[in-house]
Amino acid sequence: MRLNLITLYVDDQRAALAFYTEVLGFVLRHDLPLGEDSWLTVVSPEAPEGPELLLEPAGHPAVGPYRDALAEDGVPLLQLTVDDLPAEHERLTGLGVVFTQPPTDLGTALVAVLDDTCGNLVQLVQPRPQGVGA
């Protein structure tokens, strides 16, 4: 068994596509029209055949209350791994990305949380090698 597709509900698919490709650096994998929406997926450029992130319209009535409650509590809906969190934070801040949590050292990892502009909080994580940190 392996991970193939992760769904992330977004307020606007086109805005999400722009953010995840132009700002975060993901690559478009599928953009297939489905009525008013699309089957819209992106992948990491480091793993173009790897798991896809589905940018799913947030129209289902359960999505809004679910995302609102998590955002109010500061809980990210997606976690992405980065190699150099301080550099990535600086790059993204320079592009106007809003962070709700600056880079924070948790001992086993550095973490930061950003607003994806599409209704979600996203956590960036730079894991520490085993045995390093607290």
Side-chain angles (χ1 to χ4, degrees), residues 59-73:
H60 189 282
V63 172
Y66 169 72
R67 289 192 315 165
D68 291 347
L70 292 176
E72 186 175 317
D73 288 343

Side-chain angles (χ1 to χ4, degrees), residues 70-132:
L70 292 176
E72 186 175 317
D73 288 343
V75 177
L77 283 168
L78 179 66
Q79 180 173 299
L80 303 172
T81 301
V82 298
D83 293 328
D84 185 344
L85 183 56
E88 194 64 18
H89 177 263
E90 182 176 342
R91 181 185 80 80
L92 293 172
T93 300
L95 292 173
V97 173
V98 174
F99 279 80
T100 61
Q101 176 186 331
T104 304
D105 190 339
L106 299 181
T108 57
L110 294 174
V111 300
V113 178
L114 62 86
D115 180 337
D116 77 352
T117 73
C118 304
N120 304 293
L121 296 178
V122 176
Q123 185 173 54
L124 302 183
V125 178
Q126 178 186 337
R128 296 229 192 254
Q130 293 280 337
V132 176

Side-chain angles (χ1 to χ4, degrees), residues 1-112:
M1 194 176 301
R2 65 186 174 275
L3 186 62
N4 187 51
L5 183 74
I6 300 125
T7 299
L8 183 68
Y9 293 102
V10 297
D11 296 331
D12 178 310
Q13 284 188 302
R14 294 297 140 197
L17 178 61
F19 183 83
Y20 280 85
T21 57
E22 297 169 17
V23 177
L24 295 186
F26 283 82
V27 177
L28 176 65
R29 178 79 178 272
H30 294 289
D31 187 354
L32 306 171
L34 291 172
E36 293 180 17
D37 300 312
S38 296
W39 179 262
L40 185 59
T41 67
V42 296
V43 294
S44 168
E46 297 170 17
E49 299 302 317
E52 297 175 63
L53 179 62
L54 173 63
L55 303 175
E56 177 78 16
H60 189 282
V63 172
Y66 169 72
R67 289 192 315 165
D68 291 347
L70 292 176
E72 186 175 317
D73 288 343
V75 177
L77 283 168
L78 179 66
Q79 180 173 299
L80 303 172
T81 301
V82 298
D83 293 328
D84 185 344
L85 183 56
E88 194 64 18
H89 177 263
E90 182 176 342
R91 181 185 80 80
L92 293 172
T93 300
L95 292 173
V97 173
V98 174
F99 279 80
T100 61
Q101 176 186 331
T104 304
D105 190 339
L106 299 181
T108 57
L110 294 174
V111 300

